[in-house]
């Protein structure tokens, strides 16, 4: 699915719009799923295990239907981009290509934008993945919320994710995806810090908790499509499937580290509010690596120069100033000198 998204457009505004809409649909779908699940579990009066069984059954039937219809009617035929080398298998050559690409990105300075972006999402996406686990522990043990109250808190996250995806789309189109991601991480860190400061005891007002949860939802709805749009516009053409696989792999690679850090602090006797605030270490690391990318349009141009000439014209026209032609000549002149990611 991510590979198809990357091939929809090389235009950053279009990619940002597409991904923000996809994320909005994702949150609306999760919200509808949650409401139906709550209604069925209430009507059938199921316990936790029964509710989990209903949830898994619904997920299986929904995914089977949606993916089946999409595969049958909406995916178009397309030729293979590469052939399997002689004396090799698809499985073996695929892993060899992924390994070669991964090490090439991290060893070749010319692909620094991709390298720093992947390092960034290792930290920031790892923190967002751990947020649900850490926040559930925090809400249970520090704020002493029951399952019904925690359900409301996550409902706030899902609902707020819908306008968050819209906000991310608007900001990304207005100031470009890189700056949008940087701004989102600042908001994420501010909200997490304030949550750790003001949510310290069971006496904390419920509306305060729900406001902070809603802000996390806005940030989640904002950050994920922005990251996807940013990455889709700085990867070289013709390797979308492969590189989107690396994107998903990098985002999940360090998902274990924030919960481990939270647990370590707790075992050392630190307050859980400090453990919650420790997520900012990973958001801050992601922020720093995004800054290392440098000029967004330089990264876009370097990727698009391996594509069509009109792609390069688009990237150059997004620059404002007298150096447009100079940048275009630099990018076009470097076509034969750019290394293949192999």
């Amino acid at each position: 699915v991510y590979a198809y998204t990357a091939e929809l457009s090389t235009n950053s505004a279009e990619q940002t719009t597409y991904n923000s809409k996809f994320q909005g649909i994702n949150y609306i779908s999760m919200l509808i799923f949650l409401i139906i699940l709550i209604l069925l579990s209430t009507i059938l009066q199921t316990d936790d295990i029964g509710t989990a069984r209903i949830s898994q059954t619904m997920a299986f039937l929904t995914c089977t239907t949606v993916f089946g219809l999409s595969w049958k009617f909406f995916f178009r035929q397309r030729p293979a981009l590469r052939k399997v080398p002689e004396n090799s298998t698809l499985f073996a050559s695929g892993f060899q290509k992924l390994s070669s690409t991964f090490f090439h990105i991290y060893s070749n300075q010319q692909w620094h934008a991709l390298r720093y972006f992947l390092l960034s999402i290792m930290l920031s996406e790892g923190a967002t993945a751990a947020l649900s686990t850490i926040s559930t522990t925090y809400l249970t043990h520090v704020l002493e919320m029951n399952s019904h109250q925690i359900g409301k808190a996550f409902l706030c996250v899902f609902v707020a994710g819908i306008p968050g995806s819209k906000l991310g789309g608007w900001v990304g189109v207005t100031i470009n995806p890189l700056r949008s991601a940087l701004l989102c991480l600042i908001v994420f860190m501010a909200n997490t810090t304030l949550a750790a400061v003001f949510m310290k005891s069971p006496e904390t007002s419920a509306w305060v908790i729900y406001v902070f949860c809603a802000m996390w939802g806005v940030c989640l709805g904002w950050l994920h499509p922005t990251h996807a749009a940013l990455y889709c516009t700085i990867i070289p053409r013709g390797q979308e499937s492969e590189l989107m696989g690396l994107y998903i792999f990098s985002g999940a690679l360090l998902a274990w580290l924030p919960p481990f850090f939270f647990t370590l602090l707790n075992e050392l006797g630190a307050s859980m509010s400090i453990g919650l605030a420790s997520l900012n270490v990973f958001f801050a690391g992601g922020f720093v690596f995004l800054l290392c990318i440098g000029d967004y349009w330089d990264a876009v141009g370097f990727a698009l120069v391996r594509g069509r000439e009109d792609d390069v014209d688009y990237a150059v026209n997004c620059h404002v100033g007298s150096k447009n032609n100079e940048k275009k000549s630099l990018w076009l002149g470097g076509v034969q000198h750019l290394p293949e990611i192999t």
Side-chain angles (χ1 to χ4, degrees), residues 2 23 27 117-132 181 184-185 188 219-220 222-229 231 247-259 279 282-287 290:
Y2 277 98
Q23 189 70 9
Y27 273 103
F117 177 82
L118 292 174
L119 288 171
S120 174
I121 64 168
M122 284 182 189
L123 296 175
S124 58
E125 292 283 351
T128 59
L131 181 61
S132 60
C184 182
L185 287 175
F188 231 135
C219 291
L220 289 170
W222 177 355
L223 187 63
H224 292 317
T226 302
H227 271 167
Y231 188 68
Y247 169 76
I248 297 171
F249 170 76
S250 299
L253 184 63
L254 297 181
W256 59 272
L257 188 55
L279 285 172
F282 302 94
F283 289 132
F287 182 88
L290 282 183

Side-chain angles (χ1 to χ4, degrees), residues 30 32-41 44 46-63 158:
M30 288 192 293
I32 294 173
F33 184 92
L34 181 61
I35 292 173
I36 294 175
L37 179 62
I38 292 173
L39 289 175
L40 288 177
S41 61
L44 299 176
T46 57
D47 56 12
D48 290 343
I49 296 177
T51 302
R53 288 172 176 166
I54 294 174
S55 174
Q56 290 300 306
T57 302
M58 289 174 56
F60 172 76
L61 293 176
T62 302
C63 290
F158 289 147

Side-chain angles (χ1 to χ4, degrees), residues 68-322:
L69 291 175
S70 299
W71 190 270
K72 179 67 175 178
F73 298 107
F74 301 119
F75 288 150
R76 294 176 296 179
Q77 293 292 327
R78 54 167 298 171
L81 295 176
R82 290 176 178 81
K83 294 182 178 180
V84 178
E86 294 184 7
N87 301 320
S88 182
T89 65
L90 180 62
F91 185 81
S93 61
F95 272 99
Q96 290 172 358
K97 186 68 169 64
L98 279 171
S99 175
S100 174
T101 298
F102 187 83
F103 286 109
H104 190 89
I105 290 174
Y106 280 90
S107 63
N108 194 308
Q109 183 57 31
Q110 289 184 296
W111 292 103
H112 73 279
L114 274 180
R115 178 170 65 252
Y116 287 129
F117 177 82
L118 292 174
L119 288 171
S120 174
I121 64 168
M122 284 182 189
L123 296 175
S124 58
E125 292 283 351
T128 59
L131 181 61
S132 60
T133 304
I134 293 176
S135 61
T136 300
T137 303
Y138 193 86
L139 295 175
T140 302
H141 295 284
V142 176
L143 303 182
E144 299 180 1
M145 298 177 72
N146 56 41
S147 59
H148 181 68
Q149 292 170 320
I150 293 174
K152 283 191 195 177
F154 279 96
L155 183 62
C156 289
V157 174
F158 289 147
V159 172
I162 299 171
S165 63
K166 294 293 184 182
L167 176 64
W170 178 78
V171 175
V173 171
T174 304
I175 63 175
N176 83 45
L178 176 58
R179 292 177 180 174
S180 178
L182 290 168
L183 180 58
C184 182
L185 287 175
I186 292 174
V187 177
F188 231 135
M189 288 187 284
N191 188 67
T192 304
T193 301
L194 293 174
V197 170
F198 290 104
M199 299 194 312
K200 284 189 172 182
S201 69
E203 286 73 36
T204 304
S205 175
W207 72 266
V208 173
I209 298 172
Y210 296 145
V211 165
F212 282 119
C213 289
M215 280 304 302
W216 274 322
V218 169
C219 291
L220 289 170
W222 177 355
L223 187 63
H224 292 317
T226 302
H227 271 167
L230 170 56
Y231 188 68
C232 288
T233 54
I234 64 172
I235 59 176
R237 304 301 100 191
Q239 294 178 255
E240 290 87 355
S241 298
E242 178 185 2
L243 290 170
M244 292 309 290
L246 285 179
Y247 169 76
I248 297 171
F249 170 76
S250 299
L253 184 63
L254 297 181
W256 59 272
L257 188 55
F260 173 79
F261 196 44
F262 177 84
T263 304
L264 178 63
L265 289 173
N266 184 59
E267 292 298 319
L268 292 175
S271 168
M272 277 199 178
S273 60
I274 295 177
L276 179 63
S278 69
L279 285 172
N280 285 337
V281 173
F282 302 94
F283 289 132
F287 182 88
V288 171
F289 280 125
L290 282 183
L291 286 177
C292 293
I293 290 177
D295 185 88
Y296 170 69
W297 293 111
D298 282 342
V300 171
F302 188 79
L304 292 183
V305 76
R306 294 181 58 205
R308 305 183 306 269
E309 171 116 9
D310 57 339
D311 284 340
V312 183
D313 288 334
Y314 157 69
V316 173
N317 290 334
C318 290
H319 279 278
V320 178
S322 59

